[in-house]
Amino acid sequence: VAPAAVAAFKAQLAKLGDCYCNDAFGAAHRAHASMLGEGLAPRAAGPLLARELRFIGGALLAPRRPFTAVVGGAKVADKLALLDTLLDVVDELVIGGGMAYTFKKAAFGVPIGESLFDAAGADRVADVLAKAKRRRVRVHLPVDYVTADRFHADAAVGAADDGAGIPAGWMGLDIGPRTAELFAAVVRRAALLVWNGPMGVFEFDRFAGGSRAVLEAAVEATQRGGTTVIGGGDTATLVAKFGAEAKLSHVSTGGGATLELLEGKLLPGVAALSDAPPGSPLLFEPPAAAAAKPGAKRSRTASLTSPNARDDAGHAVKRPEPSKASKASGAPSPTPTPPPTPAAPISAFGAPRVGLQGGGKLARMALRAAFTSHRGRVQVVAINEPAATPDALAYLLARDSSQGPFPLSVQVTTTDAGGPALLVGGKHRVAVFACRDAGAVPWASARAEIVVDCTGDCGSLAQAALSLRAGAKKVIVAGACPGLPIVAPCFAEAVPFRADALSLGPFELHAAAPVVQRAHHLAGVEAAAVTVVCPSTAGQKTVDGPDTKDWRAGRGSRQNVSPGTSLLAPALAEVLPGVSGRVGAATFRVPTAAVAAVDVTLRLSRPLPLAALTADLEKLAAGKWRQCVGVTRAELVSSDIRGDPRSCVVDASAGIELSTSLIKVVVWADAEWAYAQRCMDVVAMAVSTDRSPA
């Protein structure tokens, strides 16, 4: 289509009204003139579009745990982008439908007869399963099948399982009864379910049983208080067939739009919406919506055009201009926001923009976590370190004596304003500041929403408030800070995330709290003595020297085991009020690197064998606490734990049971890497609560 014809068509549309409301979510992924509302202002989202964004965007921004995704469909290749996005955020992944046969054959060599096989997608199956393993996502695949001798509603029906596979001349058209039971159990225990793609050819009644079983389990999960989000297309048709629309949290009206939104793409129809007036209800906010002029209010809707958006003629989409009528009336025009540049990528779901206060070991580990394990959930956009040059920061970030080399490249570059910056992975710029006054750091210039204080020196609300005055919307202190609410991701549902300032507490809290909580729940804790054996830190001296605060801290770290104080007891009392006054803790620093051992000795009110407590923790480690807790039965030493993202790894072979009411549990934790993981977890969780769906 000629550009002049497209422009004329857009002008004709603009004459039809003074403002624009888009309530066509199903077409919002298309950059058509009718989706953009050019020449009209304001451009608003209708109630349907708003609901779709709240549920689908909210699911990925603020996932309840456990978060389960069910993915079906014909071809693996069609769902690769979706699987890649989901594996970053889900706890369990169920794979069914036609694509399951490709997984079974490619990864496990199961004969699939004449079943659907996606040769192109088969080459990527190993990559998907490898990422799931890295991300500790439990993947569930079919173990038996309902088969047919032809693709027809009246086909002869057979059965097969993984033992013998599907025979030649037969094809799988549905999951079998054992798989249906397995999948249903996974779905029932989900606190959040996202389902895109049926389990079989549900259009044929003989092969609808598996999809119906999963649907009934989704209804049960909803009735128990879970959130169920059903992708559009065939899955919505399935729900309608069995009359379950009103029994689920949300059934999307989109097909391609739903898929693209779940894949993390910014929809052109959403990008074209105007920024809403201050105080409006939150709809959907990529961080670039805050990329306004200095002093501009926080925007409440998407305000960014996708760099890949194209109009009907295939030309790049520009942000619509206000109509002449709105200019004449003096109506405020939307704040113009430039499209993203490769050096400042944004997440389509509004990953929080983070500034790191301090450039020490913890800050560098947090930055590493943001660009690896938490990629897409958190964006580090600035770091403030007055004691190190950008060159020194780049060097220390790229090479670490405990954690090894950083997998992404790190170079020194400049910001658009000419200030120093780090270039991470060849495209992500992180501004570098060198302000000694925490209240003078120009966080707003980097559009940092959350500041994580990694200095270890922030000991009060007044000190945390300095970053708020400098432009941050929220401050998270990575360490103990009296007066601030403490966040422990394992117990996140009870934490007041909407506070402006939060504390992560000491690292040993995240190692000991899961053990103490489960013991108290199962048998009642009368008393607990916790001994933390932790590695030496930068605050200690390598040779003897004076220390005005702690004489023992002045002794050489390489020659001594040094007793110290721990803030674990008051932190545990806040997170677990039921054990307040029953916990004592001591710390010993030893000349090792990174990994700590935490000894939790418990006197219990009721008998509880050590094996029973370990089994309980092992069950939770495979479920809702999988990101934070683990159990090992291998005979490990501290260096074996280095790089483990879990902050509580129970050593099942190292515990002691003096009696069923007096037991000792030994926990390992990488005090650097695992603590940085919890830090980034809290960043994502804190902002998610502020942005959660209504």
Side-chain angles (χ1 to χ4, degrees), residues 161-219:
D161 59 25
D162 284 348
I166 299 174
W170 290 75
M171 63 184 69
L173 294 187
D174 194 13
I175 56 175
R178 281 192 294 140
T179 302
E181 184 178 347
L182 168 67
F183 285 5
V186 175
V187 168
R188 285 191 197 99
R189 64 175 175 250
L192 170 63
L193 173 72
V194 171
W195 183 4
N196 185 275
M199 298 295 96
V201 187
F202 70 91
E203 296 89 346
F204 300 162
D205 289 344
R206 294 183 180 184
F207 307 102
S211 296
R212 184 167 189 170
V214 173
L215 176 59
E216 290 172 350
V219 171

Side-chain angles (χ1 to χ4, degrees), residues 449-492:
E449 301 172 297
I450 297 179
V451 168
V452 179
D453 193 308
C454 301
T455 62
D457 297 328
C458 186
S460 67
L461 175 60
Q463 287 177 286
L466 293 175
S467 294
L468 295 174
R469 288 202 293 271
K473 297 179 175 68
K474 193 182 295 288
V475 177
I476 296 172
V477 178
C481 186
L484 298 187
I486 295 176
V487 182
C490 279
F491 318 116

Side-chain angles (χ1 to χ4, degrees), residues 430-654:
V430 179
V432 178
F433 305 130
C435 298
R436 296 190 178 277
D437 180 1
V441 183
W443 299 120
S445 68
R447 295 184 281 137
E449 301 172 297
I450 297 179
V451 168
V452 179
D453 193 308
C454 301
T455 62
D457 297 328
C458 186
S460 67
L461 175 60
Q463 287 177 286
L466 293 175
S467 294
L468 295 174
R469 288 202 293 271
K473 297 179 175 68
K474 193 182 295 288
V475 177
I476 296 172
V477 178
C481 186
L484 298 187
I486 295 176
V487 182
C490 279
F491 318 116
E493 292 181 358
V495 174
F497 282 123
R498 293 185 183 276
D500 289 334
L502 306 168
S503 166
L504 199 60
F507 90 87
E508 57 263 35
L509 168 68
H510 305 274
V515 175
V516 175
Q517 193 273 341
R518 294 314 298 167
H520 189 59
H521 174 76
L522 295 171
V525 172
E526 287 188 358
V530 182
T531 302
V532 184
V533 182
C534 52
S536 55
T537 68
Q540 294 179 266
K541 299 183 183 301
T542 53
V543 296
D544 290 0
D547 189 298
T548 57
K549 295 181 180 180
D550 182 355
W551 285 11
R552 282 173 168 166
R555 304 296 296 276
S557 61
R558 291 183 295 179
Q559 300 87 10
N560 296 290
V561 175
S562 302
T565 58
S566 172
L567 296 175
L568 173 63
L572 265 177
E574 179 173 337
V575 174
L576 303 173
V579 300
S580 179
R582 306 181 191 182
V583 179
T587 297
F588 292 89
R589 295 204 173 275
V590 299
T592 59
V595 177
V598 180
D599 170 337
V600 184
T601 301
L602 301 160
R603 189 170 75 231
L604 305 171
S605 302
R606 300 181 298 278
L608 177 65
L610 176 61
L613 176 58
T614 302
D616 178 77
L617 287 164
E618 197 165 25
K619 181 179 178 181
L620 289 167
K624 66 178 182 179
W625 285 358
R626 64 186 299 108
Q627 303 296 336
C628 306
V629 178
V631 175
T632 179
R633 299 185 183 277
E635 297 189 3
L636 305 181
V637 295
S638 61
S639 61
D640 297 322
I641 302 297
R642 194 176 302 165
D644 195 309
R646 299 167 296 181
S647 44
C648 174
V649 180
V650 177
D651 192 326
S653 64

Side-chain angles (χ1 to χ4, degrees), residues 450 474 476 497 502 681-691:
I450 297 179
K474 193 182 295 288
I476 296 172
F497 282 123
L502 306 168
D681 285 347
V682 170
V683 169
M685 293 158 66
V687 77
S688 296
T689 301
D690 285 345
R691 296 174 173 176

Side-chain angles (χ1 to χ4, degrees), residues 150-556:
R150 59 193 175 115
F151 189 85
H152 195 277
D154 297 326
V157 178
D161 59 25
D162 284 348
I166 299 174
W170 290 75
M171 63 184 69
L173 294 187
D174 194 13
I175 56 175
R178 281 192 294 140
T179 302
E181 184 178 347
L182 168 67
F183 285 5
V186 175
V187 168
R188 285 191 197 99
R189 64 175 175 250
L192 170 63
L193 173 72
V194 171
W195 183 4
N196 185 275
M199 298 295 96
V201 187
F202 70 91
E203 296 89 346
F204 300 162
D205 289 344
R206 294 183 180 184
F207 307 102
S211 296
R212 184 167 189 170
V214 173
L215 176 59
E216 290 172 350
V219 171
E220 288 185 42
T222 310
Q223 292 170 343
R224 294 178 182 179
T227 300
T228 48
V229 180
I230 307 301
D234 289 342
T235 322
T237 304
L238 164 69
V239 172
K241 176 175 180 174
F242 294 108
E245 299 102 316
K247 301 176 183 179
L248 302 163
S249 304
H250 179 66
V251 180
S252 179
T253 59
T258 303
L259 185 60
E260 289 195 17
L261 196 57
L262 286 171
E263 289 172 353
K265 296 177 181 177
L266 184 60
L267 309 185
V270 176
L273 299 178
S274 302
D275 296 340
S280 299
L282 181 65
L283 172 60
F284 181 73
E285 184 178 12
K293 302 172 183 177
K297 300 293 184 180
R298 183 184 182 190
S299 61
R300 296 284 170 177
T301 58
S303 63
L304 194 66
T305 298
S306 167
N308 298 318
R310 295 290 186 268
D311 62 17
D312 304 273
H315 302 291
V317 174
K318 297 180 180 179
R319 286 187 57 85
E321 296 294 332
S323 65
K324 294 180 179 179
S326 64
K327 289 180 178 179
S329 65
S333 60
T335 303
T337 306
T341 64
I346 62 114
S347 165
F349 292 106
R353 299 176 68 88
V354 176
L356 297 175
Q357 179 70 281
K361 188 62 170 283
L362 177 56
R364 298 195 300 272
M365 291 301 102
L367 193 149
R368 282 188 173 205
F371 283 105
T372 54
S373 59
H374 287 67
R375 179 181 60 84
R377 298 174 61 198
V378 173
Q379 294 184 86
V380 171
V381 296
I383 184 169
N384 181 55
E385 176 49 74
T389 64
D391 290 313
L393 286 175
Y395 175 80
L396 292 171
L397 179 61
R399 304 166 184 82
D400 188 89
S401 299
S402 299
Q403 304 297 333
F406 187 29
L408 300 178
S409 63
V410 184
Q411 300 170 303
V412 177
T413 184
T414 59
T415 64
D416 289 338
L422 302 178
L423 187 66
V424 180
K427 59 180 180 178
H428 304 276
R429 276 187 293 186
V430 179
V432 178
F433 305 130
C435 298
R436 296 190 178 277
D437 180 1
V441 183
W443 299 120
S445 68
R447 295 184 281 137
E449 301 172 297
I450 297 179
V451 168
V452 179
D453 193 308
C454 301
T455 62
D457 297 328
C458 186
S460 67
L461 175 60
Q463 287 177 286
L466 293 175
S467 294
L468 295 174
R469 288 202 293 271
K473 297 179 175 68
K474 193 182 295 288
V475 177
I476 296 172
V477 178
C481 186
L484 298 187
I486 295 176
V487 182
C490 279
F491 318 116
E493 292 181 358
V495 174
F497 282 123
R498 293 185 183 276
D500 289 334
L502 306 168
S503 166
L504 199 60
F507 90 87
E508 57 263 35
L509 168 68
H510 305 274
V515 175
V516 175
Q517 193 273 341
R518 294 314 298 167
H520 189 59
H521 174 76
L522 295 171
V525 172
E526 287 188 358
V530 182
T531 302
V532 184
V533 182
C534 52
S536 55
T537 68
Q540 294 179 266
K541 299 183 183 301
T542 53
V543 296
D544 290 0
D547 189 298
T548 57
K549 295 181 180 180
D550 182 355
W551 285 11
R552 282 173 168 166
R555 304 296 296 276

Side-chain angles (χ1 to χ4, degrees), residues 41-58:
R43 296 171 300 283
L48 173 63
L49 178 58
R51 180 178 174 84
E52 295 275 8
L53 295 177
R54 286 196 183 102
F55 270 98
I56 300 174

